[in-house]
Amino acid sequence: MSNVERQLEDIKEQIESEVPSDISISDVTYEGPKLVVYTRDPKTFAENGDLVRRLASKLRKRITVRPDPDVLSHPQEAEEKIMNVIPEEAGVTDLDFHVDTGEVVIEAAKPGMVIGRHGSTLREITQQVGWTPEVVRTPPIESSTVSNVRNFLKQEREERREILERVGRQIHRQEMSDDEWVRITTLGCCREVGRASFILSTPETRVLIDCGDKPGAEGEVPYLHVPEATPLNSLDAVVLTHAHLDHSALIPLLFKYGYDGPIYCTEPTRDLMGLLTLDYLDVAAKEGRTPPYESEMVREAIKHTIPLEYGDVTDIAPDIKLTFHNAGHILGSAVSHFHIGDGLYNVAFSGDIHYTDTRLFNGAVNEFPRVETLVMESTYGGRNDYQTDQADSEDKLIEVIKETAEDGGKVVIPAFAVGRSQEIMLVLEEAMRNGDIPEMPVHLDGMIWEATAIHTTYPEYLRDDLRDRIFHDDENPFLAEQFNHIDGGEEERQEVADGGPCVILSTSGMVTGGPIMSWLRHLGGDERNTMVFVGYQAQGTLGRRIQSGWDEIPMNERGRNGGGRGSTLKLKMDVETVDGFSGHADRNGLMNFVRTMNPRPEKVLCVHGDESSTRDLSSGLYHEFNMRTFAPKNLETFRFK
Amino acid sequence: MSNVERQLEDIKEQIESEVPSDISISDVTYEGPKLVVYTRDPKTFAENGDLVRRLASKLRKRITVRPDPDVLSHPQEAEEKIMNVIPEEAGVTDLDFHVDTGEVVIEAAKPGMVIGRHGSTLREITQQVGWTPEVVRTPPIESSTVSNVRNFLKQEREERREILERVGRQIHRQEMSDDEWVRITTLGCCREVGRASFILSTPETRVLIDCGDKPGAEGEVPYLHVPEATPLNSLDAVVLTHAHLDHSALIPLLFKYGYDGPIYCTEPTRDLMGLLTLDYLDVAAKEGRTPPYESEMVREAIKHTIPLEYGDVTDIAPDIKLTFHNAGHILGSAVSHFHIGDGLYNVAFSGDIHYTDTRLFNGAVNEFPRVETLVMESTYGGRNDYQTDQADSEDKLIEVIKETAEDGGKVVIPAFAVGRSQEIMLVLEEAMRNGDIPEMPVHLDGMIWEATAIHTTYPEYLRDDLRDRIFHDDENPFLAEQFNHIDGGEEERQEVADGGPCVILSTSGMVTGGPIMSWLRHLGGDERNTMVFVGYQAQGTLGRRIQSGWDEIPMNERGRNGGGRGSTLKLKMDVETVDGFSGHADRNGLMNFVRTMNPRPEKVLCVHGDESSTRDLSSGLYHEFNMRTFAPKNLETFRFK
């Protein structure tokens, strides 16, 4: 008997001694980090409301209870009963019965009503039919990404179960080493913005954190080929802090290189990663570059994803527990906390953070049970990187839009599809509702519409009051009628260009390609129009150049046949920068994140920023808080314990 | 045709265009780092005295010219002619003809007389017989190590040529990467003394520097199993700075783990490594431990050794040149200078150094064409680690010996077989010759005699005036008649213990085993006797304990059958420490090494010292020279470029 099997036998005995004698336990297995308990008496189990929580706390594991397939009622019969239990207002749109596991996935417009107070409705479902219900939200705005991901996972259920079982055995394997150390190796994004990637390692385990590309420097990927990272198939886990491409773009590449293990991230990060990496491949193809991997690899990544919620403490290796916390940066973005060994050491990776609340998100979490080392982003870590208050920024943006409209011009805003676009949408919706700017169309081009749909699918990840507005008061601001999805291509753009005042939100956020190029052509030559930058423009991007005064823009259009014609656009439109909308904390926010952090870490590695920003932040933190701080280079290894 | 073959074709053409038309070149190959040129006209080649040097400088390679085997004269005939050319006083003891390479190895008591002024005699030999002569010294004191190594290499000639050819192709392979970086990973001896081991890496190449054990902490080996080091068979080269076990003990283990490449070190380091590692296995067996490898692996290490002389600039990888320089620490010890890329970066590893001249060696070299980073030992780097001047130390030692002898006692000195023993021998020989102490026997126990024999085999590595004394004036101090080799075991020791005043030099130097344990038993209980420590005593060793006042010594004797009996020895003998004889620079010497270093490095990594010593030295260097200094931990990686 292998060690894992012995372990499961022990656990089964423990559970049997814990549950009432009228509940029989037929099997206990690992599925990824979770312990799955099969019972022939699911209804009796469900009657003992507190039992699962008691077992979980005793065994220090996440537990799912499922009915033994032998005792399942017929799906058709179960469906009828389930629909009787759930109130009609819940808006159930789909029921999916998994005979192999005894689970039924219920898709509903209002998942809360399926769950009931403290899960009472769910328990009632089990008591009635024996099946274990799982609830997902019906996207309020139709999202092809969400439905594609869900359909794909449905279709791959069998392989996915195998993966989860394998991962489960890996996580719960016996520890081999009696040595103790904790190290971080930097594979990218040190003294630069882009290609975020780190390895956290112990004698037992290696975890890769993020694997992004570098905007404006195609081909500069993380150092995945150095011995610290290879062979990739011996990595224990990959953790993705959020879906932006400078953190996620090369996650699918790992599967091409032989990685076959789990990707841990939040559910919205999984879906957004799918959206953004597929677009990344599209863009590469359109620009005539060979994409680093095929779309098949994106599917592999999604298939291997184990979604975690904020606050779930999850075993990802024999000696590492991972917990995600809200990072305030984009939907699903997570500060990733690693608890290593049995109280040996704790490391938090900030990922990208926003310290204060924004319209979309609560500010980043900086309270942890323990943390000795913080790896922190430094995008705006420079000594003078102070941003305008968002209220002032909003006033400025509204002013620019008002003036441009009064001149009969149009405002075009290059924005990341994910994050800043939705923040600006909320600003515009409110300003129009309050009459601060005249009602006018707001056109959403590129993937912004789709990204917005994903936001509305996961309101739990949005700021408290926004979530309440969307789901309790039924006044979803993203559904306001000003918002128009540009889905008619060049023709529609031409119409918009020929029409009256309006606002256009378009990707890419750094003007490196995508429909924004088309808008430049349509609107760039007219001095009545205004381009407004609302996000960070990396070195080497066209956005950065326009921002710093370039007005002769080379326009290379590539036809479908790959041929290109070059021309130059004389930029006459106004160029404005409104800098308070960044998804990143500014210098102040970063310092405050550490100042109010509880507990305060002993060491901080300042990464994810230009060389001067990381050095400035490192020295600022050292002088203000007298902690050990570093501005690492790529390819260095730090040992903490 | 492979890239290396194309390269050799090109080189052959270049050589052909360079040599006079009456010299035909039949083949050009790599043997390790050397380029070997075969000619059908060795005699004509030898007549053009300057030709080899001109070719070497043009091709920037080390060049050996050999006769095409087809044109060789018969060995018997050649032998006669060779003996006619070499003056009789040269004392030739062996001629060994290698028909496959056209080389003849001449072993002689006075190699200088075989070589002749600027190599004139060697050239005459080639002109007369066509064979390429190589000269080695007949050990003036018979050394079983030297003769074993030479015989073994003779016997393994064929496999060795294959190894050298393979290594040659590896070294001269085409560079693959257009990335540029230089890194050092610490695998041991950081914030500790012992288990020295580093990896120097570039995108192209990985070199392991040293691989030692940790005295007083069996089992604590370098971190060879971390990804930075594995797989060992993909390492390009191993460089050994000197033969002490804390640098060399686990070199043979590399071959057990699959390494199959070259070991670069000086010739005396190779022989001493053979001596010390075989003894290391013996000691482990005697103490009932399982040795980490079999003696077969020591032979593998010796077979894979490519000896280099001080000052030879040697290609060891497509992008790395290695040069050894005298380190002043022990016989053959080398400061190892790595020139990386084409002027990209330079790193010097001090190994263990002695800054000032000692009786045995010139002080460590600290002049280099370029050097940006220095990795420096810190054994005595602590802020108060100042040692007595050697002159004062010698006075003190002489005083102790005189007083002990006057009391009718004996002096026992635990000493490393290699280095300090010979230094002390020189002091004693001079003191007796000058009448500063009465003539008395000096008994050499353990491997000291053998180690001394190896010293006399390689006088080129000794201090100038000592070398001259040995080989020009025929007054080899090591042959003085006071010196007695204890080769009669316990019986002889008992006789010595029962006899009159004398000095005993015995291993191990830190009283961790070996014959010194027997001397403790024989002499420890008599208060007329004195134990004198002349070298560093590491934490955890019995030497350190005795030095700090322990006088109840547990004596565990293990019989041949593995059974043990324990007893306690009440130590009554005097214990003295005379600290000026260390082979290590003291705080002053380390600071001066850097102060006078030319050029001065930008960065210094302080390693090979207790935590406080490395920190003290790091901070001292920073404050005095305003350079970037570090006291790394094990398992860290620093990137320099």
Side-chain angles (χ1 to χ4, degrees), chain A residues 183 228 633 635 639, chain B residues 183 228 633 635 637 639:
Chain A
R183 309 196 295 164
E228 294 93 313
K633 301 196 196 76
L635 287 177
R639 180 174 172 187
Chain B
R183 307 196 295 165
E228 295 93 312
K633 302 195 195 76
L635 287 178
T637 297
R639 180 174 171 187

Side-chain angles (χ1 to χ4, degrees), chain B residues 162-196:
Chain B
E162 276 165 32
I163 294 169
L164 287 174
E165 201 158 303
R166 179 161 49 77
V167 170
R169 299 175 78 90
Q170 261 307 98
I171 292 171
H172 299 94
R173 72 184 184 270
Q174 182 153 32
E175 290 188 55
M176 295 288 287
S177 173
D178 47 9
D179 205 356
E180 282 187 345
W181 42 259
V182 176
R183 307 196 295 165
I184 289 175
T185 301
T186 55
L187 301 183
C189 89
C190 287
R191 305 194 181 182
E192 63 181 354
V193 173
R195 56 168 169 177

Side-chain angles (χ1 to χ4, degrees), chain B residues 218 282-289 512-514 558:
Chain B
E218 309 306 339
D282 257 16
V283 169
K286 272 186 199 138
E287 292 179 356
R289 284 178 285 119
T512 51
R558 241 172 226 284

